[in-house]
Amino acid sequence: MKDTTDHIVDPSYDFTAQPGFEHGDERPSNFSRNPTFYDVVEARVSRRGVLAGGLSAAVTGLFAGGVSLLAAKKASAAPAMMGFEPVMMSTADAITVPEGYTAQVLVPWGTPISGDMPAFRPDNTGAEQGHQIGMHHDGMHFFPVDGSSTDGYLVLNHEYIEPRYLHGSWAGMELDGDTVVYTGDDTRADDEVLKEMNAHGVSIVRVTADADGTWSVVADPLNRRVTALTPMEITGPVRGSAHVVTKFSPDGTMTRGTINNCANGFTPWGTYLTCEENWAGYFTNTDAEQPREHARFGVSDEARGGRYGWHLAAGGAEEYTRFNAAATGASASEDYRNEPNTFGYVVEIDPRDPESVPVKRTHLGRFAHEGVVFGPFAAGAPIVAYAGDDSRFEYIYKFVSSAAYDPETTDGTILDEGTLYAARFNDDGSGEWLALAPGENGLTPENGFADLADILVNTRLAADTAGATKMDRPEWGAVHPQTGEVYFALTNNSRRIQAEVNMANPRALNEWGHIIKWTEAGDDHAATTFAWDLFVVAGDEKRSATLTGQPLDDTNAFACPDGISFDQDGRLWIQTDIGEDAQVGSLADFGNNAMLCADPVTGEIRRFLTGPLGQEITGWTETPDGQTMFINVQHPGGTTTAEDFAAGTFTSNWPDATAGAKPRSSTVVVRKTGGGVIGS
Ligand code: FEO
Ligand code: CA
Ligand code: CA
């Protein structure tokens, strides 16, 4: 029987108290037809002509569709997919892993890696921070030295900062997690701005394991920090266009820094890709009317706008004030009105050369780039990269290179020429890739798109025009190493109302998220059509469904999938990010953010790891032998109130575990006691 009483949202539900609801949001008012997820399932199943014999059969019918059967057919005989007992939800200020596993903290924020290796102190200077691991670890990749599984370079993103923990002199002040301290006349102290910029970006650090499997940092000439100040080259169609002319680079070929580096990618030619996600919030533009290149991404229009007020640095140095994107000069080459147009990209970094200049690859589009993940690299075939735009109602994209991959000669320049597409998910389970190219899908001068550079700088508007499907916040993607199936996490979207529900985003007020997957037509990643299905719909026992139609339970219930990664055997690792202020209401019952392991063939999911208080689990990489896994714990203690911060009482003291210790984002190394492939 279809459960008609279990509404996803009932009329008495206090939407205004939920995460994602902000001042100015209109409270949803249409509760007259709120079909549950199961109604959507039933509609989809009947459309497919599957015999629906009640709720469970209907749900099973949806999830046991052709795509998963294809996976079952193609997956190779793999080692044991899940040879561990699931861990239970946790509200402890600690990491928990299954019996037989160990978890070691590595490279917490402030760890010295370069220069004169300045030791971590709460009052480190801005310059010292430039030689230390940054804050708020996110996506990362392990680059082995000569294929080693005990020696390599860990390259990791630092997404953003929590200023109150960053600045030692702010101890005792009543500060929440976002607030920065201004001096009396609305200026920021220069060295604080420098420290904040140096705590952003990317770290490249050599790490090795001893005979016991304990990892540590090695002082190495390739260790390097890339920060919000590092000079970078702009390549691809936007290079040299009027959109990116600035006082720093009048010919539009260079910019400085990368910010809000969320997830990542890596290439077979040995480079690391870091993705600029919520960069728009760092800028402000108080001009009477913002250009669409700013407005469509949410650049602030307030004088004190800009996430950390960097543009108000007291000394007025241009490397700081450029975050003011107002037209203050006579022309674009005399101010920084175009500075925001130099952010929002995938940035390629060569960890083997500390002198190399990072490159912003503009053909992969400009948006809130969560991450980037490649399809299989096959000699003679184009390179295909998938990327999500993590904002409510934004899109999933893919880039297909013009040139074919050649293992001998290909380098990053292959990412500078090709076609960017946006995804349309049809309700019948089919999908289309809509080319974002001049003359295609309405992208003409008559419709306001002058050329390819204009399309790419305005990627979101181009995808709007092309008719892509508005998704529930696309986060990480992952490509199955054997079947080539593409998975994407859709973390949540509490603003989707019933009238906006579609089959790929099947819930109104979706606070728990889901994971979608698809197979490209003919198993060709360059294809322009695909077949999609849902892998898991997250939530508690009443509001979830796995691949087999079973609800999640206490061994695997989760909400807000964010990081997803396949290991080399095809286990899908799912990391959760219930917003740090949001473990309340309908999200109160999931415990601390966690990492789960899923079998993509059977759909089984087990909770593998839980994190400390106030954090999210994010970032994933493994050694070539699969016996060491690195994950990140980001923003522990983020739930500390302003009053408790003033009192020096933090919700988390992880990883130091001593009362009063500052919580610090860190990498965590997971190993099996005595060795063995993680998860097996
Ligand atoms: Fe940086 Fe969408 O998480
Ligand atoms: Ca994320
Ligand atoms: Ca997230």
Side-chain angles (χ1 to χ4, degrees):
M1 277 291 295
K2 179 162 70 78
D3 178 0
T4 55
T5 59
D6 179 25
H7 288 259
I8 290 291
V9 174
D10 69 45
S12 62
Y13 183 71
D14 185 4
F15 183 74
T16 60
Q18 300 308 315
F21 190 89
E22 293 165 7
H23 280 308
D25 283 359
E26 214 169 299
R27 195 185 195 288
S29 56
N30 178 10
F31 294 104
S32 59
R33 261 193 86 255
N34 274 318
T36 65
F37 164 66
Y38 299 106
D39 294 315
V40 176
V41 169
E42 189 175 64
R44 172 106 180 268
V45 168
S46 59
R47 202 160 310 181
R48 282 180 169 187
V50 176
L51 183 65
L55 172 63
S56 59
V59 176
T60 305
L62 174 74
F63 288 104
V67 177
S68 53
L69 292 177
L70 182 68
K73 192 179 72 193
K74 289 160 77 176
S76 59
M81 289 301 279
M82 279 190 268
F84 62 90
E85 290 300 313
V87 299
M88 293 295 111
M89 283 179 196
S90 168
T91 54
D93 192 29
I95 298 278
T96 57
V97 287
E99 202 179 326
Y101 284 83
T102 59
Q104 180 210 332
V105 172
L106 185 67
V107 293
W109 156 57
T111 302
I113 63 166
S114 63
D116 54 1
M117 301 287 277
F120 172 73
R121 300 187 322 269
D123 61 348
N124 280 125
T125 64
E128 287 170 334
Q129 175 67 74
H131 289 296
Q132 298 170 330
I133 294 285
M135 250 190 170
H136 283 27
H137 306 27
D138 208 315
M140 68 180 153
H141 188 70
F142 178 79
F143 290 87
V145 171
D146 296 331
S148 173
S149 287
T150 57
D151 184 7
Y153 292 89
L154 197 60
V155 184
L156 65 154
N157 291 344
H158 303 290
E159 188 177 29
Y160 65 105
I161 57 168
E162 192 154 342
R164 60 183 177 176
Y165 293 128
L166 185 69
H167 302 297
S169 63
W170 294 5
M173 296 185 186
E174 203 164 291
L175 300 170
D176 65 22
D178 300 321
T179 302
V180 292
V181 177
Y182 287 82
T183 50
D185 52 353
D186 258 10
T187 55
R188 296 282 331 275
D190 285 327
D191 198 63
E192 289 177 357
V193 172
L194 177 62
K195 189 172 185 183
E196 291 166 21
M197 288 192 173
N198 280 343
H200 278 73
V202 175
S203 293
I204 299 162
V205 57
R206 189 168 188 172
V207 291
T208 58
D210 66 16
D212 298 332
T214 301
W215 289 75
S216 54
V217 168
V218 178
D220 186 274
L222 300 192
N223 287 358
R224 177 187 187 189
R225 285 300 321 282
V226 171
T227 72
L229 292 158
T230 306
M232 309 212 166
E233 191 176 357
I234 299 167
T235 69
V238 177
R239 177 186 176 87
S241 74
H243 299 284
V244 287
V245 166
T246 62
K247 189 174 179 188
F248 177 69
S249 181
D251 65 356
T253 59
M254 297 288 291
T255 187
R256 282 171 287 194
T258 185
I259 50 174
N260 214 266
N261 303 86
C262 190
N264 68 295
F266 59 97
T267 68
W269 53 92
T271 61
Y272 180 81
L273 300 173
T274 184
C275 300
E276 299 177 332
E277 189 192 14
N278 293 314
W279 50 271
Y282 291 66
F283 292 92
T284 188
N285 178 352
T286 55
D287 286 348
E289 192 175 351
Q290 286 189 0
R292 63 183 188 171
E293 293 82 2
H294 301 181
R296 180 65 175 82
F297 298 94
V299 169
S300 170
D301 59 4
E302 295 173 15
R304 259 202 192 187
R307 191 165 186 169
Y308 308 115
W310 288 346
H311 61 291
L312 296 171
E318 276 182 19
E319 64 261 38
Y320 307 150
T321 60
R322 66 194 158 111
F323 289 88
N324 175 6
T328 55
S331 70
S333 59
E334 292 169 61
D335 61 25
Y336 289 95
R337 70 185 69 176
N338 287 332
E339 190 74 0
N341 302 350
T342 72
F343 288 82
Y345 299 109
V346 173
V347 183
E348 185 173 23
I349 296 171
D350 186 349
R352 298 160 300 191
D353 178 4
E355 302 301 319
S356 60
V357 175
V359 179
K360 300 204 175 189
R361 301 280 180 202
T362 64
H363 213 146
L364 275 64
R366 174 174 176 259
F367 44 89
H369 259 289
E370 176 78 15
V372 61
V373 62
F374 291 95
F377 291 88
I383 281 177
V384 179
Y386 298 92
D389 182 354
D390 180 9
S391 199
R392 297 175 184 86
F393 303 109
E394 296 298 342
Y395 307 113
I396 292 174
Y397 298 89
K398 84 169 174 184
F399 169 83
V400 179
S401 69
S402 297
Y405 174 60
D406 179 341
E408 302 296 318
T409 61
T410 293
D411 62 20
T413 59
I414 196 171
L415 301 173
D416 288 336
E417 203 176 321
T419 305
L420 185 68
Y421 297 87
R424 177 190 283 159
F425 294 84
N426 299 318
D427 280 356
D428 65 0
S430 69
E432 296 160 63
W433 289 108
L434 308 167
L436 305 182
E440 305 225 32
N441 296 305
L443 302 175
T444 61
E446 299 72 51
N447 287 337
F449 297 94
D451 54 22
L452 182 55
D454 199 19
I455 289 170
L456 293 171
V457 168
N458 294 289
T459 301
R460 283 182 171 176
L461 287 164
D464 292 344
T465 300
T469 300
K470 298 177 189 303
M471 309 299 285
D472 285 349
R473 294 189 52 200
E475 299 257 22
W476 292 47
V479 177
H480 191 289
Q482 280 87 39
T483 68
E485 273 185 310
V486 187
Y487 288 63
F488 258 82
L490 298 161
T491 195
N492 60 57
N493 183 354
S494 53
R495 291 189 201 162
R496 186 178 292 275
I497 61 171
Q498 187 56 41
E500 296 165 325
V501 162
N502 56 53
M503 292 299 180
N505 301 277
R507 293 195 287 206
L509 307 188
N510 177 14
E511 295 195 42
W512 308 278
H514 54 289
I515 296 177
I516 198 167
K517 62 173 186 166
W518 65 86
T519 299
E520 300 281 4
D523 288 334
D524 174 6
H525 282 263
T528 54
T529 60
F530 58 91
W532 67 268
D533 215 326
L534 300 179
F535 178 66
V536 58
V537 177
D540 60 21
E541 246 173 286
K542 290 181 79 176
R543 300 177 176 87
S544 61
T546 64
L547 193 64
T548 57
Q550 300 301 310
L552 298 167
D553 58 30
D554 61 354
T555 68
N556 58 9
F558 70 96
C560 307
D562 186 341
I564 58 171
S565 302
F566 276 107
D567 67 23
Q568 50 200 311
D569 294 334
R571 295 177 197 85
L572 182 67
W573 297 91
I574 303 169
Q575 303 170 322
T576 71
D577 173 20
I578 297 171
E580 64 186 60
D581 300 323
Q583 288 174 320
V584 297
S586 64
L587 293 166
D589 298 329
F590 293 93
N592 295 348
N593 280 307
M595 179 167 74
L596 305 100
C597 182
D599 182 331
V601 177
T602 65
E604 185 184 1
I605 299 174
R606 293 184 194 176
R607 193 180 299 106
F608 179 84
L609 176 150
T610 63
L613 288 162
Q615 54 79 51
E616 68 178 87
I617 302 292
T618 186
W620 186 95
T621 187
E622 63 178 346
T623 51
D625 64 6
Q627 297 196 24
T628 300
M629 179 184 290
F630 303 90
I631 58 108
N632 283 321
V633 167
Q634 187 191 96
H635 62 74
T639 45
T640 302
T641 64
E643 295 72 25
D644 284 347
F645 179 81
T649 308
F650 314 135
T651 54
S652 172
N653 304 115
W654 189 89
D656 295 333
T658 50
K662 273 190 190 188
R664 296 158 78 186
S665 295
S666 302
T667 298
V668 173
V669 188
V670 178
R671 292 186 41 85
K672 247 185 190 181
T673 310
V677 170
I678 309 298
S680 67

